[in-house]
Amino acid sequence: MGRVAAARAVLVALVVLGAPPAAGAELSEVFQEMVKSECHFINGTDRMRFVKRFIYNREQYAMFDSDVGVFVGDTPYGEKVVKYWNSDAEWMEYRRAAVDRHCRHNYELSIPFLVGRR
């Protein structure tokens, strides 16, 4: 699944499921959707961990951890979204391969710059 299809899946989930405001919270005119990808390198390439966090208005609602192997919802909205994401076998296989495709690849490219620095 390509980047465009992945972005489309996230957008559809946000639109269809909707994110209700917190109880008693004042609504603002600014909304922020953020996706953070992290690579954790433990002992070089022997042990790697890929984490992808999905954040809406400073609240993490879902995440993928390569050590867990599935998306995990952090809020009621996130639980609905990850139920949909986890049900797509092709999408999950693509996510599970991210540790090699993204982290390992970038580590190999960065070795000349990073290893010599202290």
Side-chain angles (χ1 to χ4, degrees):
M1 179 177 276
R3 294 178 104 185
V4 173
R8 188 175 299 133
V10 171
L11 182 59
V12 168
L14 287 171
V15 171
V16 171
L17 298 174
E26 185 177 319
L27 296 177
S28 72
E29 295 178 11
V30 178
F31 301 97
Q32 181 183 38
E33 174 74 21
M34 182 169 38
V35 179
K36 292 176 68 177
S37 297
E38 304 170 6
C39 292
H40 300 259
F41 302 102
I42 300 106
N43 197 18
T45 58
D46 291 339
R47 173 91 172 82
M48 280 194 219
R49 180 176 171 219
F50 175 73
V51 178
K52 188 163 195 146
R53 302 176 189 280
F54 298 84
I55 302 160
Y56 180 76
N57 280 357
R58 290 184 260 161
E59 181 179 26
Q60 180 175 306
Y61 64 88
M63 71 177 284
F64 176 83
D65 185 336
S66 64
D67 286 352
V68 177
V70 295
F71 286 94
V72 177
D74 295 319
T75 65
Y77 167 71
E79 300 225 354
K80 292 177 189 177
V81 173
V82 301
K83 185 177 178 183
Y84 172 74
W85 288 341
N86 289 333
S87 69
D88 186 342
E90 183 182 341
W91 172 247
M92 291 307 297
E93 195 55 42
Y94 181 79
R95 280 290 131 222
R96 290 183 187 114
V99 72
D100 289 321
R101 183 182 63 254
H102 183 70
C103 296
R104 199 171 309 277
H105 172 74
N106 287 337
Y107 184 84
E108 298 297 329
L109 293 175
S110 302
I111 285 176
F113 175 73
L114 297 177
V115 173
R117 295 185 69 132
R118 295 277 177 219

